[in-house]
Each structure stands twice: as C-alpha cells, then as structure tokens.
Amino acid sequence: MTLQCLCKQILNQSFSTEGLSHSIMVDLFLNRVLVENNWDQDELNTEREITGILENRILMLFFATAECEKCQQFVPVLNEFFKRLKDPAYIEYPKLLALIYISLDQSEEQQERLLKELHKKVLFLPFEDPYRKELQTMFEVKDVPTVVVIRPDCSVLSPNAVPEICHFGSDCFCNWQESAELIERSFMLNEEFENLNLRSATDPVRRLKYKAEDDKRKKRWWKLWEKGKGENEDQEEEDEAWNANKKEGDKGTWRRR
C-alpha cells in the first residue's frame, strides 16, 4: 500500500476535521509495537501510548543498516542532532519531535548492533515486524541512510533530510516546525492563548477567582498605603510643632541674654 492510499483510507474513516491530525499520525503505527531503545527496551503497543508519543509531533523515520558505512558515519551526527532537541541536559523544553529507526538489516543481530549506537530515546520496530519493509515501499526509500520527515498530518515534509541535518544540524528543526505549523505551548505568550480555543470548561471560574483575589490584594495594599500616609502626616505635624516650640524657646533664651 502506498502512502497516498493509506492517507486516503484514513481520511475516509475520519468523520471530523477536529480529530484528523490525531487519526492520521496515530493510525500510521496503530496496532504496531514500538520499542524504546533503553536498557529495558520498553514496548509501546496501546493506542494511548502511541498517541502520547506521536501526536502533534514531527516524526523522523530513520532508514538504515548496520552494514552500511555511510549509515555508521551518519549515526553520530543524528545522535547529536536528536540530543540537542530532546535531551534535558541540552534544552529546557524538549522539542515536539519523535525519531523511529526503521531497520533494513538482514538479521536481528545487525539491527541490535546499530541500536547500541543510537540515542536511548529513539524508538524502533521489532525486527520480526514486516511493516518495516512496507514503510520502505510506502515512502519510496531506495538508498540508506534516509531520514523521512513527516508532519503531524502525515504529509511528507522532507523525503530525505540527511544532507540538511549534516549541513545545518539542529537549526533546521526551526524550518520544519514553521512548515508543520506546530504549536509549542511552553513558549506561548498569555496574549496568544487568548486567541486559541485551548481553555478548559472551568477556565472562566478560575479567571473570576484570580480576579477577585487580585482585587482583594489591591484593596489591602490601598488600605495599608492610606494608613501609612495618615501616620506620616501625623508625624509631620508633630515634627512641625516641635520645631516651632524649639524656635520659640531659642528666642526666649536669646532675649534673656
């Protein structure tokens, strides 16, 4: 099945534009097992897990083999690229990005060998899953290494981003993000939130609560300021009276001399 046929089939199954992006990106790997490249090799196989890791993200499909010398040379570059966009040690807010290794190796041992070189947050399909070959055909991958970059709506942003990654490094993600029209809520200003339908049903109640609390704080501050102002005025009057009495006393002493 080609990518166009898959997207058309998913579109026909979608009954609302509101859930369109979710359906396409999730259905690409729904009913599949994605494995995390960590020590335990945790499996993600439920719709909730797949949705949580792929929804509203730019997806990178890395096609490679352990026997390919160019692939071995590219892996450190890809790791550095991915690390600077996802690793909390390098960036405060990890980017909306997912990387899946699609092995075209001839044996599971070869696949494991390349996985050992890849970043621990990379996902991969099990070697026994024939979907690896289907993806190769779907995205017309004829050479390795190839990195297919996909928008959240499943449209191809770049058929092979390897040269771009090698030349621009992690900076090229900004162009991808702009092209995919991703919204990173971590960096949005309060004014921008006002124009988006991202608020919950209890938002008006919370806003009223915070407004009431702000009004109370302002009233308390005003009362304290008025009180302090009155005390300062009383003190000034006492000081003036004391100064006047002191001057009168000084005059009397001068006259006695």
Side-chain angles (χ1 to χ4, degrees):
M1 182 183 295
T2 64
L3 177 62
Q4 291 79 5
C5 292
L6 177 64
C7 289
K8 185 177 180 181
Q9 178 182 345
I10 297 170
L11 284 169
N12 291 334
Q13 293 173 352
S14 301
F15 296 99
S16 67
T17 56
E18 188 177 11
L20 186 60
S21 176
H22 160 86
S23 298
I24 292 179
M25 182 55 77
V26 172
D27 282 2
L28 191 61
F29 287 94
L30 198 61
N31 300 323
R32 300 290 173 181
V33 176
L34 287 175
V35 186
E36 293 182 325
N37 190 34
N38 52 26
W39 181 263
D40 297 324
Q41 293 200 340
D42 299 318
E43 294 185 354
L44 308 174
N45 53 14
T46 66
E47 182 176 353
R48 181 177 180 181
E49 291 172 331
I50 300 296
T51 301
I53 206 161
L54 296 183
E55 189 178 28
N56 192 40
R57 281 168 172 75
I58 288 175
L59 178 61
M60 300 169 62
L61 300 181
F62 175 41
F63 294 85
T65 66
E67 296 299 311
C68 169
E69 186 176 348
K70 290 182 180 179
C71 296
Q72 294 173 0
Q73 294 172 352
F74 178 66
V75 164
V77 179
L78 181 62
N79 281 339
E80 184 68 17
F81 171 88
F82 191 68
K83 185 167 57 177
R84 292 191 174 276
L85 293 171
K86 296 292 289 184
D87 198 324
Y90 289 84
I91 188 168
E92 185 177 1
Y93 299 102
K95 297 296 183 179
L96 299 174
L97 180 70
L99 174 58
I100 301 178
Y101 170 50
I102 310 298
S103 168
L104 300 181
D105 293 295
Q106 300 300 315
S107 68
E108 189 170 4
E109 289 75 17
Q110 291 177 351
Q111 175 175 302
E112 289 295 328
R113 197 167 73 212
L114 192 59
L115 284 170
K116 289 179 180 178
E117 304 298 325
L118 285 171
H119 195 278
K120 300 308 176 187
K121 288 188 178 293
V122 171
L123 304 169
F124 65 93
L125 287 168
F127 181 78
E128 62 272 10
D129 191 343
Y131 193 51
R132 297 181 298 113
K133 297 293 184 180
E134 293 180 31
L135 288 171
Q136 180 185 13
T137 304
M138 188 184 301
F139 292 101
E140 301 178 352
V141 176
K142 295 179 171 48
D143 195 15
V144 289
T146 292
V147 175
V148 180
V149 183
I150 308 172
R151 296 183 182 91
D153 64 358
C154 208
S155 61
V156 175
L157 196 155
S158 174
N160 190 5
V162 170
E164 192 176 357
I165 293 171
C166 290
H167 190 270
F168 297 106
S170 58
D171 292 338
C172 64
F173 180 80
C174 296
N175 296 330
W176 299 352
Q177 188 177 25
E178 184 177 349
S179 175
E181 298 181 349
L182 281 182
I183 298 175
E184 289 198 54
R185 300 184 184 182
S186 304
F187 295 98
M188 292 181 66
L189 300 174
N190 292 333
E191 291 80 4
E192 292 175 322
F193 272 110
E194 297 291 339
N195 299 324
L196 294 173
N197 188 23
L198 300 175
R199 295 181 294 234
S200 67
T202 59
D203 183 73
V205 178
R206 292 199 308 273
R207 287 176 178 269
L208 183 60
K209 174 187 174 184
Y210 296 147
K211 185 178 184 302
E213 291 177 351
D214 287 340
D215 291 343
K216 288 179 182 178
R217 282 194 292 269
K218 289 177 182 177
K219 287 180 181 179
R220 286 199 300 269
W221 179 85
W222 181 258
K223 287 181 180 179
L224 290 173
W225 186 81
E226 287 289 345
K227 182 180 179 182
K229 182 180 177 183
E231 291 177 352
N232 289 336
E233 289 177 352
D234 293 341
Q235 185 64 38
E236 288 177 1
E237 291 177 0
E238 291 178 4
D239 292 343
E240 288 177 1
W242 186 85
N243 289 332
N245 292 334
K246 186 173 184 300
K247 288 179 181 179
E248 289 296 328
D250 291 342
K251 289 178 181 179
T253 305
W254 176 259
R255 281 196 296 268
R256 283 197 298 272
R257 289 182 180 177

